[in-house]
Amino acid sequence: MAMAVAVAASVLAFSSQSHATVFAAWQVAGVPFGDTLNARKYPSNASQKQAAYPNGTVLQMTGRCTGGVNLLDIARQPNWKQRQMIRYRWCEVWHDPAQNGHFLTGWVYGKYVAPY
C-alpha cells in the first residue's frame, strides 16, 4: 500500500506540450504560523518573488533542485530522508502565480516542502 500511495501521490503527468513531462507532487510544510512560502524567479532569497503559498498547498515540482538533487530520483526513499536531502537546497516548481493559465518555473526553499 505504501508503494501505491507513493506512486500515486508523488508523480503527476502534465501534457500541455507535445511531450509529457513528469512532476513530483510536494506540499508546503513547516512554514511558521501566519507566514507563507515564497516562490522566487531564481534560487535565491534576493530573487524576485513570484507567488506565496501557505502550509498544505500542493506544488508541482519539476524534480530539479540545486546541488544536483532530483526529487524523482529520491522518491523511493522514506519521506524523512527526502526532506533531509533537500533541506538546504532550492527546488524548482511549475506554477501559475497569476492564476491565469500561464505556467512558469520558479524556486522554493526545500526546508519548507515535504513529499505529498
Side-chain angles (χ1 to χ4, degrees), residues 10-95:
S10 68
V11 178
L12 167 68
F14 181 85
S15 60
S16 72
Q17 299 172 337
S18 62
H19 63 280
T21 303
V22 177
F23 292 99
W26 282 56
Q27 68 182 335
V28 179
V31 176
F33 179 77
D35 204 354
T36 54
L37 174 64
N38 292 325
R40 299 189 176 272
K41 188 171 184 175
Y42 301 107
S44 166
N45 280 332
S47 180
Q48 175 187 357
K49 185 171 110 173
Q50 296 175 323
Y53 299 106
N55 283 324
T57 303
V58 177
L59 302 173
Q60 295 180 84
M61 310 295 285
T62 67
R64 190 169 75 145
C65 297
T66 56
V69 175
N70 188 311
L71 299 176
L72 302 172
D73 292 341
I74 65 171
R76 293 180 191 251
Q77 301 289 328
N79 285 357
W80 67 267
K81 190 166 187 176
Q82 291 179 58
R83 289 191 77 182
Q84 184 181 44
M85 293 176 81
I86 66 155
R87 183 170 175 82
Y88 301 109
R89 304 197 182 284
W90 288 86
C91 295
E92 190 177 45
V93 296
W94 177 248
H95 66 143

